[in-house]
Amino acid sequence: MKSTKAFAPATVANVSCGFDILGFAIDQMGDTVTLSEREKPGLEVLSIKGDGGKLPYESHKNTCSVAIQAMLDELGVNPGIEIRLEKGLPLGSGMGSSAASAVAALVAANELLGNPFQKNDLLPFAIAAEKAACGAGHADNVGPSLLGGFVLIRDYHPLDIIKLPVPDGLHCVLLHPHYELNTSDSRSVLRDQIPLKHATIQSGNVAGLIAGLFQADFQLISRSLRDVIAEPYRAVLIPGFYEVREAIKSAGAMGMGISGSGPTLFALCEGNEKISDIIEAAQQVYRSIGLEVDAYHSAINTRGAYIL
Amino acid sequence: MKSTKAFAPATVANVSCGFDILGFAIDQMGDTVTLSEREKPGLEVLSIKGDGGKLPYESHKNTCSVAIQAMLDELGVNPGIEIRLEKGLPLGSGMGSSAASAVAALVAANELLGNPFQKNDLLPFAIAAEKAACGAGHADNVGPSLLGGFVLIRDYHPLDIIKLPVPDGLHCVLLHPHYELNTSDSRSVLRDQIPLKHATIQSGNVAGLIAGLFQADFQLISRSLRDVIAEPYRAVLIPGFYEVREAIKSAGAMGMGISGSGPTLFALCEGNEKISDIIEAAQQVYRSIGLEVDAYHSAINTRGAYIL
């Protein structure tokens, strides 16, 4: 019987001023899904590694099987598929954990079934899985996990996804403090109404960030990494936010933001020379407030998910 | 005695989703300023043509002299300069009339004085003149009038202006109905507070528009020309707004918006083949509601202001 294996990268959503519309993919860190055909019809999750026993095996709850089922429903087929998931990134950290699982499952399933879909066309199934996992069908993690690079979600009705260029030498640092932050708390602190003035400031920065990516203008990207809509409210839920930002910007980071809804923070930097200084500066702040932190760094993944 | 003459183009500010941050320059239409040295120190406006007698001659009120004075103050000099202004665009129409006068005056004055400033460095003086003329120091008319093309005003503190690419074949149509609309009315209908959801929709469209300009993707530009923050409130002040939009989109326009704070409407289109159809469709709507309309069309000016 045939078997396929796919990798999908971790992602940063809500990229600062790109709140709710912009995400990017991280190299190296991600989830791996192995699928095997079997005779008995239906999906079965056979093993999950690296989740500390937290993820469900039931196929109507597991992100991988929910994503694959959405695809099978569209095709109107019901093959037998065994699913094995290896988590390569922490759960609930704001690095697109459920998105990476769903995308890896879909890319593997598409290959297993003889590629009935183009890569882009897998997105609606991944969004359906996100909806099942998180309650909201966001695309700003699944988009970049599938396609790689920076991905703009211009609209959902209909879905309009634009892959943006990644300047050579753009790197990111991820700081994952050992601190639990509930996504619903992070959502609930946001204001339903915001000042018009803040909306135009945000627009200016989003426009600057997009232009900076196209022009490979690191200074412009740096100036534009400013979120006045979500960050000021969410930062208070994240211990050390402003201290970490000041420390890592002094150490050479271009800018910093909250990854997804936190508590992980991301920083962007030009080249990788300053990365150890940036990480050391962040660790020093976290030590001073008594928090453990895992630090990762990587280039921006421009390839997205792929068959192994 | 030396003499210089400069032209500065008309402009469209508040480019749909680029409300308050994005403007572009129009080819052909614009203001011309002629400056002549004289022995007696100080600025004097000697003639104004094409304004129907509406613009002030007093040098502390006239946009040209206010702009030049701001430049002279920065240089700490007080030469004698005579100013002649020829208006080439209608006043108070939302096509950047005061901006074109200020910019043409500054470009001519800079040349007259031996170019003490780079072109970009003239912007703060033009903004000062806008403040004197309109009460608000906006840069989204003076920016594109000076520099040409699409210009992003990312921030004012400090001023951060980014010139964006213009796709080959992008044309615009301007529809100026004979209808008076007070800028302060147009400002007063805006909401101080807006839904967060609208701000993220606007962000997505701004990002799409910027990406579309860089990628020369006319379809993406077209999809992104949607303003949910200002247009819904301002459209009610503009007779026939929605009817004109429907008619010209059916006739092939990529999208439409309010130029500045109106009442002029702008449309963007791919190539110039459909322009006569678009103008005819608009004229038909205006006729049906009993309004005269002046229609202009042009490529996007990519050169900005220049010495004649």
Side-chain angles (χ1 to χ4, degrees), chain A residues 17 19-21 152-156 160 162-165 187 190-197 199-212 214-215 220 223-226 229-230, chain B residues 17 19-21 152-156 160 162-165 187 190-197 199-212 214-215 220 223-226 229-230:
Chain A
C17 53
F19 172 69
D20 252 10
I21 61 160
L152 164 67
I153 323 296
R154 193 196 65 80
D155 201 358
Y156 283 89
D160 192 5
I162 296 116
K163 193 168 172 178
L164 303 170
R187 209 8 95 173
L190 298 179
R191 302 293 189 264
D192 284 341
Q193 298 278 322
I194 64 163
L196 173 61
K197 183 73 202 151
T200 58
I201 291 171
Q202 194 89 342
S203 284
N205 285 317
V206 169
L209 177 54
I210 305 294
F214 274 97
Q215 294 177 331
L220 176 54
R223 295 196 300 276
S224 303
L225 285 171
R226 186 174 161 226
I229 284 181
Chain B
C17 54
F19 172 69
D20 251 10
I21 61 162
L152 164 67
I153 322 298
R154 195 197 63 80
D155 201 359
Y156 282 89
D160 192 6
I162 295 116
K163 192 170 173 177
L164 303 170
R187 207 13 93 175
L190 298 180
R191 303 292 190 263
D192 284 340
Q193 299 279 322
I194 63 162
L196 173 60
K197 182 74 202 149
T200 58
I201 291 171
Q202 194 89 342
S203 284
N205 285 317
V206 170
L209 177 53
I210 305 294
F214 274 97
Q215 294 177 330
L220 176 55
R223 294 195 301 276
S224 303
L225 284 172
R226 187 174 161 225
I229 285 182

Side-chain angles (χ1 to χ4, degrees), chain B:
Chain B
M1 303 292 274
K2 212 174 146 192
S3 161
T4 58
K5 191 173 184 176
F7 171 85
T11 46
V12 169
N14 292 334
V15 182
S16 182
C17 54
F19 172 69
D20 251 10
I21 61 162
L22 192 66
F24 67 82
I26 301 159
D27 236 9
Q28 298 161 6
M29 222 193 315
D31 286 358
T32 305
V33 169
T34 307
L35 302 181
S36 310
E37 287 183 325
R38 65 169 188 190
E39 287 196 11
K40 182 185 164 194
L43 303 177
E44 189 172 355
V45 181
L46 281 196
S47 79
I48 306 176
K49 286 180 188 160
D51 68 327
K54 290 185 181 168
L55 291 177
Y57 276 77
E58 298 96 314
S59 58
H60 66 285
K61 287 185 184 170
N62 183 281
T63 304
C64 297
S65 40
V66 169
I68 297 172
Q69 191 60 54
M71 178 202 263
L72 298 178
D73 290 348
E74 175 73 20
L75 289 170
V77 297
N78 186 26
I81 299 177
E82 293 173 347
I83 301 166
R84 287 172 180 83
L85 166 63
E86 293 165 64
K87 292 298 300 176
L89 69 161
L91 270 64
S93 59
M95 291 190 265
S97 174
S98 62
S101 297
V103 167
L106 287 166
V107 168
N110 195 38
E111 176 80 7
L112 193 73
L113 298 171
N115 292 301
F117 295 102
Q118 298 286 314
K119 206 177 184 189
N120 276 24
D121 298 332
L122 299 175
L123 264 181
F125 311 131
I127 293 171
E130 282 287 76
K131 195 165 184 179
C134 316
H138 286 296
D140 46 356
N141 287 116
V142 291
S145 186
L146 183 68
L147 304 175
F150 278 81
V151 170
L152 164 67
I153 322 298
R154 195 197 63 80
D155 201 359
Y156 282 89
H157 310 288
L159 191 61
D160 192 6
I161 303 262
I162 295 116
K163 192 170 173 177
L164 303 170
V166 178
D168 280 348
L170 187 64
H171 284 251
C172 73
V173 169
L174 288 153
L175 302 163
H176 176 223
H178 293 194
Y179 175 78
E180 283 222 6
L181 177 58
N182 206 314
T183 302
S184 63
D185 288 343
S186 199
R187 207 13 93 175
S188 69
V189 294
L190 298 180
R191 303 292 190 263
D192 284 340
Q193 299 279 322
I194 63 162
L196 173 60
K197 182 74 202 149
H198 288 182
T200 58
I201 291 171
Q202 194 89 342
S203 284
N205 285 317
V206 170
L209 177 53
I210 305 294
L213 291 172
F214 274 97
Q215 294 177 330
D217 182 339
F218 289 95
Q219 291 298 319
L220 176 55
I221 293 169
S222 175
R223 294 195 301 276
S224 303
L225 284 172
R226 187 174 161 225
D227 169 15
V228 297
I229 285 182
E231 190 180 283
Y233 305 109
R234 290 184 161 175
V236 297
L237 300 177
I238 297 175
F241 180 86
Y242 293 107
E243 293 83 351
V244 171
R245 185 167 74 180
E246 200 183 319
I248 69 172
K249 286 185 90 167
S250 296
M254 292 163 57
M256 189 191 90
I258 300 165
S259 179
S261 51
T264 296
L265 305 177
F266 76 91
L268 291 178
C269 29
E270 185 176 354
N272 56 10
E273 295 79 9
K274 294 167 185 166
I275 282 178
S276 57
D277 289 351
I278 290 167
I279 290 176
E280 173 53 34
Q283 284 171 329
Q284 208 168 323
V285 174
Y286 281 115
R287 265 197 303 273
S288 74
I289 56 174
L291 271 183
E292 295 272 316
V293 63
D294 295 323
Y296 312 89
H297 65 92
S298 130
I300 308 299
N301 167 318
T302 54
R303 185 181 180 190
Y306 52 90
I307 294 291
L308 290 165

